[in-house]
Amino acid sequence: MTSRFCRFLFLLTLLFSASAMAVNCQRAVTPLENTICNNDNLHWLDSTLSVVYQQAIHEEGLEGNDKEYREWEKLLEKCTSDTCIERAYYAGISALADTNRDFKWEGKWWNMRAPNMSGGVIQFSRSAKWSETLDIRAWAGLNKDEFTAEARKLYGMLVVERVVDTSNCKLLVIPKKNGSLQVYSNADWGCRMSMPPGVFLDGAYQMAESDPRPKATLLSLGIFPDATLDDKFRALVGDDYQSFVNSANVYIYQDDIDNIGARVISMWVQGSANKRTAIVMYTPKGEIWAGRISPAKEGGLMFSYYSTDGSDQRKMPRTLAGWKLRFLDE
């Protein structure tokens, strides 16, 4: 049996083991499954446990975690009330996540998985035997907000029943033995409705006094596929390179309406999509066209254009010209 086939069998086992975990609410048949599916909080905990389980398998392997999960599942099936089910989920998540129960709740924690020009910081301002106070700051582009929450300690984790001044936003904070924090929110039905557009709290957090994330580049963001093209763009736009990076808060592919085999990436800043936006277009041959919209000092908007084919905007590809017309009609 080849090593490639062995890996395939492992991934297949992983797929079926992981997908069998979360309750399928479209096919709920037992009293336990229906209870979970008819309670938003239990449904969220069920989904969270599924994610934690898949991460544990990825990091530690299937055998031990699968056995632990099956043993926990037998305990869950004995529950006949919402309260019992909820506590069972917290106990299962804590066990599968290998929670650090001796964790020291202190310091400033930064969300390492937040996108470019977005972020989140959690700081613990008051600690008690059974509770913690969280001060939270989160942003996405120009959209930002600050929150406070009281959390209770349960199975070594922090459970936030409600973030102040939000609509039913719940958090689960898990201290990992590698020294990081993992945060899960009930985003789909709670936190997302209360956060500014694009802002989220979920992620892996690392302690530091200042933002520990490496400085983003158009290469690290995946806008350019290799360092050669990224360096060529740096040379083309000069000091404006960082302005393009700062515009890449959200970035998506766009159609090449010139049909020249180019890749086109449009990008913008959350909360200022009509004023801080940019576009990059390049071909496999290394041809580059780029435009950027930004606020002008005297008011209004200004357009900056760059091309390996020269600065004459009359030769601008139709793709860029059409994009420009969305913001400037002259």
Side-chain angles (χ1 to χ4, degrees):
M1 186 179 294
T2 66
S3 59
R4 179 179 296 180
F5 186 66
C6 289
R7 288 196 298 270
F8 171 75
L9 287 179
F10 173 78
L11 291 173
L12 192 64
T13 303
L14 173 62
L15 174 65
F16 279 99
S17 297
S19 62
M21 288 183 46
V23 174
N24 185 345
C25 289
Q26 293 182 340
R27 298 181 180 178
V29 292
T30 68
L32 176 60
E33 290 173 342
N34 279 291
T35 299
I36 293 170
C37 292
N38 285 286
N39 182 308
D40 286 337
N41 187 52
L42 297 181
H43 193 194
W44 166 57
L45 291 175
D46 180 69
S47 299
T48 301
L49 185 136
S50 179
V51 172
V52 169
Y53 177 68
Q54 293 177 54
Q55 290 177 340
I57 290 175
H58 177 73
E59 294 171 1
E60 304 165 13
L62 177 64
E63 185 174 353
N65 287 292
D66 187 62
K67 181 181 178 181
E68 189 167 22
Y69 170 76
R70 299 306 169 190
E71 292 175 352
W72 167 83
E73 192 175 40
K74 293 177 182 178
L75 295 176
L76 176 67
E77 290 171 350
K78 295 180 180 179
C79 285
T80 57
S81 69
D82 290 6
T83 301
C84 176
I85 297 171
E86 181 181 41
R87 290 190 68 87
Y89 270 116
Y90 284 131
I93 290 170
S94 177
L96 289 169
D98 199 22
T99 301
N100 180 6
R101 299 197 176 212
D102 296 322
F103 192 79
K104 304 299 181 183
W105 301 98
E106 59 187 22
K108 186 184 294 184
W109 297 82
W110 298 78
N111 190 347
M112 300 298 291
R113 294 182 183 168
N116 180 48
M117 302 304 293
S118 298
V121 181
I122 296 177
Q123 191 158 10
F124 302 97
S125 59
R126 185 184 63 80
S127 179
K129 184 176 181 180
W130 301 110
S131 65
E132 293 283 340
T133 299
L134 287 69
D135 295 319
I136 305 168
R137 179 166 57 90
W139 65 95
L142 299 186
N143 298 331
K144 57 185 178 180
D145 211 338
E146 297 183 359
F147 308 92
T148 300
E150 296 294 327
R152 60 188 174 101
K153 297 176 180 177
L154 187 64
Y155 299 111
M157 308 178 297
L158 293 184
V159 178
V160 176
E161 300 290 354
R162 189 180 73 87
V163 177
V164 177
D165 295 329
T166 67
S167 176
N168 205 26
C169 179
K170 298 177 181 291
L171 301 175
L172 181 59
V173 183
I174 304 175
K176 307 285 287 183
K177 289 184 179 178
N178 63 6
S180 67
L181 289 178
Q182 185 71 47
V183 177
Y184 298 94
S185 76
N186 61 344
D188 290 338
W189 59 273
C191 293
R192 187 169 298 167
M193 295 187 295
S194 304
M195 298 289 151
V199 173
F200 64 91
L201 303 178
D202 303 67
Y205 287 69
Q206 180 178 317
M207 186 172 69
E209 279 303 310
S210 57
D211 195 339
R213 293 176 294 175
K215 188 175 181 180
T217 68
L218 297 181
L219 176 62
S220 68
L221 294 175
I223 292 171
F224 286 123
D226 54 62
T228 300
L229 202 55
D230 186 58
D231 289 342
K232 188 172 185 178
F233 186 76
R234 285 177 183 269
L236 178 65
V237 303
D239 293 341
D240 217 11
Y241 181 87
Q242 189 59 45
S243 297
F244 277 91
V245 174
N246 293 345
S247 297
N249 181 212
V250 180
Y251 38 101
I252 62 173
Y253 290 122
Q254 186 174 316
D255 291 337
D256 164 24
I257 64 175
D258 294 271
N259 294 318
I260 57 174
R263 177 167 292 181
V264 185
I265 299 97
S266 177
M267 59 195 84
W268 64 89
V269 176
Q270 293 265 19
S272 187
N274 292 327
K275 296 180 179 180
R276 293 175 172 85
T277 181
I279 189 170
V280 173
M281 179 177 181
Y282 61 88
T283 67
K285 296 179 181 179
E287 301 166 300
I288 300 174
W289 302 266
R292 190 172 66 84
I293 300 289
S294 59
K297 292 182 179 180
E298 62 276 9
L301 299 175
M302 61 177 292
F303 175 66
S304 302
Y305 176 66
Y306 301 92
S307 171
T308 52
D309 191 33
S311 59
D312 187 352
Q313 294 189 25
R314 292 174 299 179
K315 300 168 63 176
M316 185 189 306
R318 290 185 302 130
T319 301
L320 262 73
W323 173 86
K324 177 187 174 184
L325 284 174
R326 300 178 196 171
F327 311 98
L328 300 172
D329 54 11
E330 70 271 13

